Amino acid sequence: MVLQDIWDRLKNPSEEFSPVPFWFFNDWPDRERIAAQLEDFVEKGVNAFVLHPRIGIPEQIGYLSEAYFETVRFVAETARRLGMKIVLYDEGMYPSGSAHGLVVRENPAFAARGLTRTDGPGADPVIAALPDGQFLVWRFTGGTIRGIHFGEDDGEAGAPPAADLLNPEAVRAFLRLTHDRYYEELREYFGTTVIGFFTDEPSPVGRNAEGFFPWAGGLERELQAAGGCAAELQGLFDGTENTSTEIYRRLIKSHLRETFYRPLSEWCSAHGIELMGHPEASDDVEEQLYFGVPGQDLILRRVTPKTGGLLEPDSVQAKLTADIARHLGRRRNANECFGVCSRRGIPWYFTGEDMKWYIDWLTMRGVNLLVPHAFYYSVEGARSGERPPDVGPNNIWWPHYRRFSDYIKRMCSLMTGAGTGARIAVLCDNNRVPCREVAALYERQIEFHYLPAALLERCRAEDGKLCIGECAYELVFNVLGDKYGAQLPEGVTQLQSGERLLWEAERRGLCTVLTQEPCPGLRAVRLYREGAELLLLSNEGERPLSTTVSLPGCESWAAADLWRGCLTGKGTGSRMELSLAPCETRLIFLGTERQIRELSPKEGTTPRYLGDWTEAFSPEEKADNRAVCERSFWAEEVCGTEYFTVRGEEMAECYVNGKLADVSFWNVHRLSVGHVLKKGENRIRLVFTGNAANLYDGAHIPFGLETVIRGGDSPSPLCGKTIYGFGDSLVAGHANRVGMLDFAARKNGMIYRRYAANGATIVPGIAPRIGDGWLVPDVASQVESASAETPDFVCFDGLTNDAEKATAERYLGQLSDSWDGGWDLSTFYGAFENVCHTLRKKYQDSCIFYVAVHRMPTRDQKTQEILQRAAREVCEKWAIPVVDMFRAGGINTCIDGMRRDYSYDTMEKLWDGNGTHLNEAGYSEWYAPAIERLMLGFSHGLCSKGTVLRERENTAGKGGGEKEEES
């Protein structure tokens, strides 16, 4: 009954696997309020938290003061009463290591110091005199941390001074002031209620210390002994790398580990708790060796749901910490997740779908302790704007948060103590963790583990396999170089080519599952627990997937939905039909026919689908961020497994005959009603709640049934139509992934598929190299690799990056008389014609149009004019309508006021950009109306889908003669 035992524990998971949210303690402590919140946490399945002092604590309560610890002791006492666990946070507020400025107050010599470049040395120690007459000196940085009282944030006068974390004496003072004091006050709770200390992104120079790099006393001698030269460190300031800068970075990392991480680790171990938290960079490796619970943080939407997850530099973090924990024999590894992961730069715009996707993304890679950022003690006043959103008690889903906490527990429980099917080791080192090189392994469902070079000395070779702990690897993927390969034991198969790795993996049968057709969005992990074999599958893509999965050697199987906590089907044989919606996971139990038959025999009944009821509901009311609609449903019979779907935004609560039946947090909503339906007439009521950003940001994000969102009684003619977007970052959306098509598509209820890429060009091969040899695809390549399914509309742009990379005179070319190929793709004319030809050939029945983007100050004005004129000529030849924002769009960011109001560069400041990328106001006010008008013109027959006239006679440089039509 092993399978049954595993399933019983997953359905009712242990509190050990609770989410451990940051609890932002940020207001006046009220004991009744504290107790009520913690009791509410437990009711919602949250059995642990990180006690995190944040901005908003009254100035009367000084950090680490007696008044401060009066509250801390009460929190600990309440948590023990409720059976909760506490992780203490080691700073007030972050980054760690300064004790809210108390370290520097005790000894000003302990203030953060760093290396900087100056014209004159002054009284500071000179590290090197530079050939140009400047100097590298070691001086105080003036760096600060974020504090816990108003007026102590970045750039404010009260921001606490940062301590020198490369000074062992300063770190000892930090431990004495912080850790020893906490132990003195909470000794009786350590090892029982208090289970860890959380350290957060220690920074040797502090925040707001521009122009400084970390430095430690005597480091110049170490640099020289290692073969470096201090004068060459000017490369740090010039943005260039050399041998000395490489040695420097390695030495600094080593110093920080020895002066900061090691003492903290040893202190925690000596006091019966774990060092938790995370270092600064997602690809920090050796720092993780000091953590009792290796960890990282997932912030700022650096990994983008559905469309991201593989290629971003931060995409290595989850798997890296999980694999390090596995190799070190650590039971848990953690991730501080969801922090400022808002959509479109709107602070509170974070959805339940986002949260579910991130949970799956993390746990599928082996993370088994989630630290949600954050639950707020208070959202009064400015507190609601301090690194939002609150993903717990102050968000719309809190009444139903048990759904999320139970799911987190199930996934974390499943990933704890389980062996995996990985038989490939991918070598990594400090800040050298392969990312893009392993993307194909994920997309082909081939498991692997990151193996730090620092652990190679613990490895051994057995029967041609590289072994460490309980892991045995048949193949080692090494893209770091021969120096690393030389450290491998003899007889181990080492590969440096990604193509060869894929070939060997497939030849050796190392794919976790085999699918009938390629499924790049499918992730698969094989798990071994207590002698049982399981398979965890997840759809990380933006589209539903449906395929036949081959399970070699499998006799029988059962499928479970861990989100709902139920079995969904059983079968025999080695083939299984798999359908997964985006953000959906499935756990497969593999076993004998008898084992599967005996696994919860009353579960696994095939659900009965009642259909898409979006059009069946009638709106009743809409106010205060809630939309209500109802319908009647006559049930001839009830089997208990009935469910229906609806399309709408955002949280949908379903009531049947006055009783809550189900709740869904993302579109398309799947709502189970069979357990409360009755024969005869049933009254179904849907209550939609809009995103929290509508409440806290005044964002006006649409909510309710899709038919209501689209305009009530008069839906747009574009409603339900599909549009594909190709091109560069003005379509792809740059940093916040909001581009020129988003608003028109959303307003009209269209289905939008984005294939554009930041940095893309019309001319192939002139885009910048991203990563190790990877090229941003040109527009024609985007079209070739896109779905072959015919959309209603196709939009493309281009030439913005072409205008930056080369002058028009150098590669303009000329319009050809060819309709069937042979264009010179090294010229703009030829490449643009190839784009048009590729679009016309692939999407013959689609309405295709081109957007000539606005005039911008970041490109040569003459080059923009020449290329835009050429683009219009090509579009005229190929009968492709143009939305001309360049000449007649009204938006021109060469005008300083328009540039300031309508453009941005980074997520930190969504205005006052350089004029290239527009913010939401720019796209919604200028682009969206023009694009919408053209699409409506197509829909009303005012624009042609594009009859191409073939003129065989050479006139005006375009050819001429007989005319033929090509749809």
Side-chain angles (χ1 to χ4, degrees):
M1 298 297 287
V2 172
L3 294 183
Q4 187 64 57
D5 291 342
I6 294 173
W7 179 228
D8 287 342
R9 290 197 299 272
L10 288 175
K11 283 194 298 183
N12 302 288
S14 166
E15 293 176 357
E16 175 190 359
F17 304 104
S18 167
V20 187
F22 274 2
W23 186 30
F24 280 6
F25 202 80
N26 61 357
D27 207 338
W28 187 268
D30 179 275
R31 293 196 169 195
E32 289 186 7
R33 185 178 182 182
I34 290 170
Q37 283 201 17
L38 294 182
E39 289 166 0
D40 195 20
F41 286 7
V42 173
E43 181 185 334
K44 301 299 192 300
V46 179
N47 308 104
F49 58 92
V50 178
L51 180 58
H52 191 348
R54 296 291 290 203
I55 285 180
I57 293 177
E59 290 187 22
Q60 302 94 306
I61 302 177
Y63 183 61
L64 303 182
S65 66
E66 177 56 33
Y68 175 86
F69 275 108
E70 281 184 16
T71 297
V72 170
R73 287 192 296 269
F74 177 74
V75 169
E77 176 187 331
T78 305
R80 180 166 64 179
R81 173 174 63 83
L82 297 172
M84 302 182 77
K85 304 297 183 185
I86 299 177
V87 175
L88 299 173
Y89 192 86
D90 70 2
E91 189 52 81
M93 165 169 68
Y94 70 83
S96 293
S98 304
H100 193 253
L102 295 177
V103 171
V104 177
R105 183 185 302 174
E106 181 175 284
N107 187 342
F110 289 165
R113 304 175 79 181
L115 186 71
T116 191
R117 183 167 59 180
T118 66
D119 293 328
D124 300 304
V126 175
I127 304 304
L130 303 179
D132 62 1
Q134 291 187 306
F135 298 86
L136 298 183
V137 301
W138 184 33
R139 66 170 46 157
F140 293 113
T141 69
T144 56
I145 69 169
R146 300 188 71 213
I148 62 172
H149 307 305
F150 289 122
E152 295 181 346
D153 209 342
D154 288 332
E156 296 183 327
D164 183 359
L165 305 189
L166 297 177
N167 182 340
E169 292 299 322
V171 175
R172 278 193 281 272
F174 169 64
L175 282 167
R176 173 170 44 80
L177 291 166
T178 304
H179 294 62
D180 288 351
R181 182 68 196 283
Y182 268 106
Y183 186 70
E184 177 185 335
E185 297 287 347
L186 302 176
R187 181 191 307 260
E188 64 184 289
Y189 301 99
F190 267 61
T192 53
T193 299
V194 174
I195 61 172
F197 245 123
F198 195 103
T199 196
D200 200 347
E201 294 186 8
S203 172
V205 299
R207 294 168 69 86
N208 304 299
E210 289 77 12
F212 283 90
F213 289 87
W215 193 258
L219 192 64
E220 62 271 28
R221 295 187 294 274
E222 295 180 49
L223 181 73
Q224 184 175 8
C229 171
E232 291 183 354
L233 295 183
Q234 64 180 321
L236 297 172
F237 302 89
D238 296 334
T240 60
E241 295 295 328
N242 54 56
T243 300
S244 296
T245 59
E246 181 181 351
I247 296 171
Y248 159 82
R249 296 185 193 282
R250 187 174 69 248
L251 290 174
I252 283 295
K253 289 279 189 180
S254 177
H255 269 266
L256 186 60
R257 290 195 296 271
E258 290 302 311
T259 62
F260 187 81
Y261 289 106
R262 183 184 293 279
L264 267 64
S265 178
E266 291 174 348
W267 191 98
C268 289
S269 179
H271 291 79
I273 62 174
E274 303 284 8
L275 176 62
M276 300 174 65
H278 57 85
E280 185 174 11
S282 290
D283 56 358
D284 282 340
V285 174
E286 289 195 31
E287 288 79 359
Q288 298 288 352
L289 307 184
Y290 294 90
F291 285 86
V293 179
Q296 264 300 345
D297 68 333
L298 186 68
I299 59 170
L300 293 170
R301 219 172 180 86
R302 290 175 180 167
V303 176
T304 311
K306 294 188 180 181
T307 57
L310 295 184
L311 302 179
E312 301 90 340
D314 292 274
S315 68
V316 303
Q317 56 162 270
K319 185 148 188 55
L320 180 61
T321 56
D323 293 343
I324 289 175
R326 180 177 289 108
H327 291 133
L328 294 176
R330 309 281 200 259
R331 177 172 170 80
R332 307 293 294 277
N333 75 97
N335 195 282
E336 174 197 330
C337 46
F338 319 144
V340 201
C341 286
S342 52
R343 299 185 180 194
R344 292 164 36 195
I346 302 174
W348 278 77
Y349 193 9
F350 180 76
T351 69
E353 180 181 55
D354 291 337
M355 186 154 58
K356 173 64 161 57
W357 190 92
Y358 280 126
I359 292 169
D360 292 343
W361 186 87
L362 291 165
T363 53
M364 285 294 297
R365 284 156 177 76
V367 176
N368 59 9
L369 194 159
L370 300 191
V371 182
H373 178 300
F375 289 12
Y376 288 35
Y377 173 68
S378 171
V379 289
E380 295 296 321
R383 295 172 181 85
S384 68
E386 200 271 296
R387 300 299 191 268
D390 179 322
V391 298
N394 295 288
N395 217 305
I396 63 172
W397 47 68
W398 183 245
H400 309 288
Y401 191 81
R402 190 84 196 210
R403 302 283 183 113
F404 286 102
S405 63
D406 281 351
Y407 183 66
I408 289 171
K409 290 176 181 177
R410 290 180 186 128
M411 293 293 279
C412 290
S413 172
L414 180 66
M415 302 307 292
T416 301
T420 75
R423 287 185 277 171
I424 297 173
V426 175
L427 288 185
C428 62
D429 201 358
N430 290 314
N431 309 115
R432 297 188 66 189
V433 183
C435 169
R436 298 179 184 276
E437 299 90 339
V438 299
L441 296 178
Y442 284 110
E443 292 179 335
R444 299 195 189 188
Q445 298 80 49
I446 300 173
E447 293 180 71
F448 70 92
H449 289 157
Y450 283 121
L451 178 60
L455 298 181
L456 285 176
E457 61 184 20
R458 305 188 188 190
C459 296
R460 62 194 186 279
E462 294 181 4
D463 300 325
K465 298 178 181 178
L466 183 69
C467 300
I468 178 172
E470 297 181 356
C471 300
Y473 303 111
E474 294 186 25
L475 302 173
V476 177
F477 188 37
N478 174 21
V479 295
L480 302 185
D482 294 338
K483 179 182 75 171
Y484 295 86
Q487 301 176 48
L488 293 172
E490 290 187 12
V492 174
T493 302
Q494 177 186 177
L495 300 172
Q496 296 179 333
S497 163
E499 292 184 2
R500 179 66 187 278
L501 176 67
L502 292 174
W503 183 83
E504 279 287 345
E506 293 178 349
R507 183 182 71 84
R508 297 182 184 217
L510 302 188
C511 296
T512 302
V513 296
L514 299 175
T515 59
Q516 192 172 38
E517 57 274 313
C519 295
L522 178 65
R523 305 289 172 262
V525 179
R526 194 172 293 270
L527 301 168
Y528 299 94
R529 300 180 61 95
E530 304 160 45
E533 186 175 355
L534 303 92
L535 188 63
L536 184 62
L537 305 171
S538 172
N539 182 3
E540 285 184 8
E542 57 183 334
R543 301 181 187 86
L545 64 85
S546 182
T547 188
T548 300
V549 174
S550 178
L551 308 170
C554 174
E555 183 179 328
S556 292
W557 54 266
D561 182 343
L562 293 181
W563 173 255
R564 296 180 175 273
C566 63
L567 294 182
T568 59
K570 299 177 180 180
T572 58
S574 60
R575 295 171 68 84
M576 179 183 68
E577 298 302 318
L578 176 69
S579 293
L580 289 177
C583 293
E584 190 172 15
T585 57
R586 193 72 74 239
L587 178 65
I588 311 299
F589 293 91
L590 306 176
T592 66
E593 186 174 347
R594 178 178 177 180
Q595 287 174 323
I596 298 301
R597 185 174 61 250
E598 292 178 350
L599 177 61
S600 296
K602 295 183 179 180
E603 290 190 64
T605 306
T606 303
R608 179 188 171 205
Y609 182 41
L610 300 176
D612 184 328
W613 283 3
T614 305
E615 306 293 338
F617 282 91
S618 300
E620 295 293 324
E621 58 180 285
K622 188 173 186 179
D624 300 325
N625 209 38
R626 293 172 74 253
V628 180
C629 51
E630 293 187 351
R631 72 155 298 185
S632 293
F633 172 67
W634 183 272
E636 295 288 346
E637 57 180 0
V638 176
C639 67
T641 63
E642 287 84 357
Y643 75 96
F644 66 90
T645 58
V646 290
R647 302 184 306 279
E649 298 292 344
E650 179 171 340
M651 183 176 76
E653 296 168 297
C654 177
Y655 295 85
V656 178
N657 303 320
K659 182 182 296 185
L660 179 66
D662 202 358
V663 60
S664 172
F665 305 96
W666 55 84
N667 200 4
V668 173
H669 299 280
R670 182 189 188 280
L671 297 162
S672 297
V673 293
H675 59 294
V676 290
L677 279 180
K678 64 180 182 180
K679 288 186 177 181
E681 186 174 11
N682 294 268
R683 195 67 183 167
I684 316 292
R685 181 180 177 89
L686 288 183
V687 179
F688 283 91
T689 303
N691 191 271
N694 293 341
L695 303 175
Y696 294 96
D697 298 320
H700 304 292
I701 296 167
F703 63 95
L705 271 181
E706 193 171 280
T707 53
V708 177
I709 293 174
R710 294 192 301 243
D713 296 333
S714 302
S716 166
L718 303 175
C719 173
K721 303 289 187 183
T722 301
I723 182 170
Y724 291 178
F726 300 98
D728 53 33
S729 56
L730 278 74
V731 177
H734 187 44
N736 68 351
R737 291 193 63 79
V738 176
M740 63 174 68
L741 297 176
D742 289 81
F743 291 96
R746 183 161 57 249
K747 175 186 175 183
N748 291 279
M750 302 178 72
I751 301 167
Y752 175 27
R753 294 183 179 177
R754 190 195 320 258
Y755 294 101
N758 292 345
T761 56
I762 294 292
V763 178
I766 68 169
R769 287 187 177 271
I770 305 295
D772 186 11
W774 185 79
L775 286 173
V776 172
D778 58 272
V779 179
S781 296
Q782 294 172 14
V783 178
E784 290 170 353
S785 62
S787 171
E789 182 180 348
T790 300
D792 298 285
F793 298 94
V794 173
C795 171
F796 72 106
D797 81 334
L799 74 74
T800 297
N801 296 305
D802 298 79
E804 180 184 37
K805 304 305 173 189
T807 62
E809 290 84 351
R810 285 177 53 193
Y811 79 123
L812 181 63
Q814 60 184 4
L815 193 66
S816 76
D817 59 1
S818 171
W819 297 89
D820 300 311
W823 302 288
D824 183 354
L825 300 187
S826 67
T827 70
F828 182 79
Y829 267 110
F832 204 103
E833 286 211 66
N834 183 52
V835 171
C836 295
H837 171 74
T838 305
L839 284 167
R840 283 274 181 234
K841 184 177 180 181
K842 186 164 186 173
Y843 302 122
Q844 297 183 19
D845 296 321
S846 299
C847 302
I848 301 171
F849 63 95
Y850 168 72
V851 176
V853 299
H854 61 280
R855 188 183 298 271
M856 54 190 70
T858 53
R859 309 292 189 266
D860 177 73
Q861 297 301 305
K862 181 179 178 182
T863 301
Q864 291 183 76
E865 292 173 359
I866 292 172
L867 295 187
Q868 290 289 11
R869 183 166 60 247
R872 288 194 299 273
E873 283 188 69
V874 177
C875 287
E876 182 180 352
K877 169 183 173 179
W878 290 87
I880 291 178
V882 177
V883 176
D884 196 344
M885 304 302 296
F886 187 78
R887 293 188 303 177
I891 175 72
N892 178 358
T893 56
C894 293
I895 300 171
D896 193 57
M898 284 194 162
R899 175 196 60 75
R900 185 179 59 251
D901 293 343
Y902 293 116
S903 76
Y904 78 106
D905 297 332
T906 67
M907 294 291 288
E908 283 70 31
K909 192 176 183 181
L910 293 174
W911 68 93
D912 198 17
N914 65 18
T916 301
H917 302 104
L918 300 190
N919 54 26
E920 293 190 28
Y923 286 130
S924 63
E925 293 180 24
W926 301 103
Y927 274 77
I931 291 171
E932 183 180 19
R933 281 194 298 270
L934 184 122
M935 291 193 296
L936 287 171
F938 274 125
S939 297
H940 293 305
L942 302 179
C943 298
S944 168
K945 285 188 177 181
T947 301
V948 178
L949 302 179
R950 297 185 175 182
E951 302 181 2
R952 301 208 178 275
E953 180 179 333
N954 186 10
T955 60
K958 299 181 185 179
E962 298 180 8
K963 297 181 179 180
E964 297 180 6
E965 292 190 357
E966 179 187 85
S967 289

